[in-house]
Amino acid sequence: MCRSFVSIFYKLLPVFLVLILWEITAVSVHQFRGVEFPDPFQTLQKVFQLLMGRELSGHNLYEHISSSLKRWLIGFGIAVGCGLSFGMLASWSRWFEKITAGIPQFLLLIPGLAWIPVAILIFGIGEAATVAMISISAFAPIAISVISGIKGVDINYIRAAEMMGTGRAELFFKVLLPASLPSMLSGLRIGLGTGWRVLVAAEMVVGTGTGLGYSIIQSRWTLDYSSSFACIVIIVAVGLFFEKVLLRALEKRTVDLWSVAPENS
């Protein structure tokens, strides 16, 4: 019981520290600059109002969340499909790896927001530009994780499979891929977070009237900073839900079912 309480305390401690720093910042800004800075209580109050149906930028909160999630899931889904395919093909074919090895590394160096002018020139203002920015930003970490995961498989697994007469295709799909799952899933988590951050930023620039990022920038123009802060809190909550709850559960179940790594590794 005591250990459980201590564990919960340490998990919640970062939240308490953020809230304390937030409150200190709000008081300091108001005191020294004379500017109203939404504190945690005001922000949570605004979140509650939005959850109860209060309009934000002409729509309710749930419409904004659903619009953002739709763009994000489409973009992330494209990135996953392309990243996994690219990584597996590069790991399977040496000549393909040689001529394309630098592409994910090159893309990884480009900040997500740097794709804004490229996306606008190709797709114009709208959904397609946002989805494209998410896809290309999340693609690189996924592809790199797949390649590094397959290359990092314990050589003993490969030798054991070869001694049993395993063919190249069977070795790849039944040994290399399962053994590289932890690395792949780590890449998916990084790509997920990258795509979510790019989504919010893209909606501020190339949004189409809905979305959490669009709501933040609109609230700024109307000086409704408490709504902006409320959107930030909701963005964090949604991101944590997908990353900590859904993806972590999927990661555990997938590794338990398919990984060939030893349990104590």
Side-chain angles (χ1 to χ4, degrees), residues 12-24:
L12 294 178
L13 185 58
V15 178
F16 292 139
L17 291 175
V18 169
L19 292 176
I20 292 170
L21 291 173
W22 184 353
E23 182 65 31
I24 293 173

Side-chain angles (χ1 to χ4, degrees), residues 2 22 25 31 34 45-46 49 59 82 103 111 119 124-125 132 135 155 158 174 178 181-182 192 219 248:
C2 183
W22 184 353
T25 302
Q31 182 72 26
Q45 189 177 35
K46 179 64 72 170
Q49 292 172 354
H59 301 273
C82 294
I103 294 177
I125 299 292
S135 301
I155 190 64
I158 300 174
K174 291 189 176 181
L181 272 177
L192 181 148
S219 298
R248 179 168 291 184

